[in-house]
Amino acid sequence: MSVVQAPASSLLLTEHPLQRCGAWAVTVLADRERVEQVTAELLDGVTARIVEDVVEAAVAQKNGGAYDWWKVLFALYPNSKPTHAKREKDRTALREEMARLFAPDDAGGPVWACTFCEQPSGVLWAKTTLPMFDSIRAVNTLPPATAGWPVCRGCRVALWALPYGAWLTAGSATVLTCDNPQVERQFVRRNVQRAGRIRQLGFDGLPATAGPEAVTLQALREHASDAPAATSLWMFKNDNQEPWLRVAGTRTGVARFVHLLMADPDCRRGWKVLRRALAPRDRQGKATVDGATAAARLLFDREGGQSDRLPMELWARSADLEKVPRHTLVGWRALCRLYVEVMFEMDPDRIKPVAELLATWIAQEAHRGRFNLYRRAAGSGYELHKLLITAGARLYLDGKDQRVVPEVLGGLLANGSQGWRERTVLFFEVIETLHRKGVTIGVPGEESEEDDGQTRFDGDDDGEEHA
């Protein structure tokens, strides 16, 4: 259905993840704080930059940053003329071809509502210029008798500014949506810097960089004083063969968690140790996996995947106490307690009577036998219940009546996620209680390095260079 207004060229922020990322990228490239500050003149300037970068990538030789930028464009717009295998290599012709894509709409032609922002549009776009469409096997991705989707000039520019604002690999892109727009802008700002390095140096020339999850956590931390915000990361591949889309996100509690983590020295140290543990190194000492990103991913929930992976990871890495230093256990206990407090409003201290019972029973023996019995039972509500009965009976016969309120056991012995979360907290509480009783569990280890209180979730506090 046509609309009567003349075509518009202003840039709006919509709810579509790809357009939204691109609109923020235009804003950052225009050196503005808010999308509504992008004037028509600024939009022209950003458009000219996009066109020149596309032309440079399309004619580039296969050995440099410009060609790697072509790979990015090919992954997002595999059906466009600048990425086609038989593309024109004449700069002037390519420049004119790209300029036509972003030219102002013809005011005298038919007009429709833009698919993304509902502003008037006189241009229809389809698979050749829009990212994230079906594979080449689909004969037609449009409704019958439809020539294309109406896309206004502002959204056309935004959709081709997308690679500047997304976190990129050579074959995929990740964009962020967040309840807090300033988190989105910061995520895009970091990626615009990184995109500049890709165009200049290529992917091989990039320093070790934090992934999108780590960059998101850092942005959440820096805006933690704002209202709690949830995030979603949209990771997609659009190479014209088998496109895919994966969505991962954080709940609103994660923003508060990363903020409070900074206020606790034990939590900060525990997070740093976890990051290093998740970043194995090769024989030359170079990290083969980015620890900041691997740790950050534990706070993201992926569709169809396991939630609350942080406490599960901490528990799994503490299983072999012969290899875990004391200060590491202290830090990981603090992280685990803070997580359940913030994310589930659980009071970790309410299970202390259970930890006291088990620690008292374990401490009666000088060897590791009873602790190993507990460790084997710790993962099962049923086995833990049996062990608590045995330990309680033994203490009663020895004149040490350690009672536990039944209400405390309900969640602790439950099946499902609540049960294993509470049993994880209990595991660290038992170790801490044993330590207070003078029972050595684990290895003393070296004292952790001095904590400067400057932890970054994207790894920069370790002195690594990140784009």
Side-chain angles (χ1 to χ4, degrees), residues 24-102:
W24 277 119
V26 171
T27 304
V28 173
L29 290 169
D31 196 23
R32 291 297 180 268
E33 290 295 322
R34 300 192 304 275
V35 174
E36 56 268 26
Q37 294 175 333
V38 178
T39 64
E41 291 75 18
L42 290 171
L43 189 65
D44 289 342
V46 173
T47 302
R49 174 173 176 175
I50 293 173
V51 169
E52 289 303 317
D53 288 344
V54 170
V55 171
E56 188 67 27
V59 301
Q61 299 296 319
K62 297 183 178 181
N63 56 355
Y67 185 71
D68 275 5
W69 192 247
W70 179 86
K71 293 178 184 178
V72 169
L73 297 176
F74 178 76
L76 297 179
Y77 319 97
N79 303 288
S80 67
K81 290 187 177 181
T83 61
H84 197 278
K86 297 181 180 180
R87 62 190 177 277
E88 175 67 61
K89 291 299 183 76
D90 180 80
R91 289 176 180 270
T92 301
L94 276 170
R95 189 177 293 108
E96 292 175 352
E97 179 71 34
M98 290 302 301
R100 282 194 291 270
L101 292 179
F102 308 114

Side-chain angles (χ1 to χ4, degrees), residues 410-434:
L412 193 62
L413 303 179
N415 295 322
S417 57
Q418 179 184 359
W420 69 254
R421 279 196 307 269
E422 295 201 13
R423 290 191 291 273
T424 299
V425 177
L426 176 65
F427 180 79
F428 287 107
E429 290 302 318
V430 169
I431 294 173
E432 179 62 24
T433 306
L434 285 169

Side-chain angles (χ1 to χ4, degrees), residues 11 15 76 92 286-287 406:
L11 180 67
E15 296 302 316
L76 297 179
T92 301
K286 183 179 180 181

Side-chain angles (χ1 to χ4, degrees), residues 1 12 61 116 163 177-178 193 227 236 252 278 309 313 339 447 449:
M1 180 177 177
L12 296 180
Q61 299 296 319
F116 299 95
T177 56
C178 181
Q193 296 172 355
F236 67 96
T252 55
L278 291 170
R309 291 183 294 152
E313 184 72 24
Y339 186 87
E447 290 299 317
E449 74 278 10

Side-chain angles (χ1 to χ4, degrees), residues 19 89 135 151 172 191 204 207 263 274 278 344 356 388 402 447 449 454 458 462:
Q19 190 276 350
K89 291 299 183 76
S135 73
V151 187
S172 67
N191 291 330
D204 290 341
L274 178 62
L278 291 170
F344 298 97
E356 181 67 29
L388 287 172
Q402 300 280 141
E447 290 299 317
E449 74 278 10
Q454 299 298 314
D458 56 6
D462 285 341

Side-chain angles (χ1 to χ4, degrees), residues 7-14 18-27 29 35 38-44 46-47 50 77 101-105 114-123 125 130 150-162:
S9 61
S10 59
L11 180 67
L12 296 180
L13 196 62
T14 75
L18 304 190
Q19 190 276 350
R20 194 173 182 88
C21 175
W24 277 119
V26 171
T27 304
L29 290 169
V35 174
V38 178
T39 64
E41 291 75 18
L42 290 171
L43 189 65
D44 289 342
V46 173
T47 302
I50 293 173
Y77 319 97
L101 292 179
F102 308 114
D105 297 13
C114 176
T115 302
F116 299 95
C117 69
E118 298 185 350
Q119 290 191 101
S121 170
V123 174
W125 268 15
L130 288 172
V151 187
C152 72
R153 186 185 183 225
C155 288
R156 295 200 302 274
V157 176
L159 289 169
W160 276 73
L162 167 67

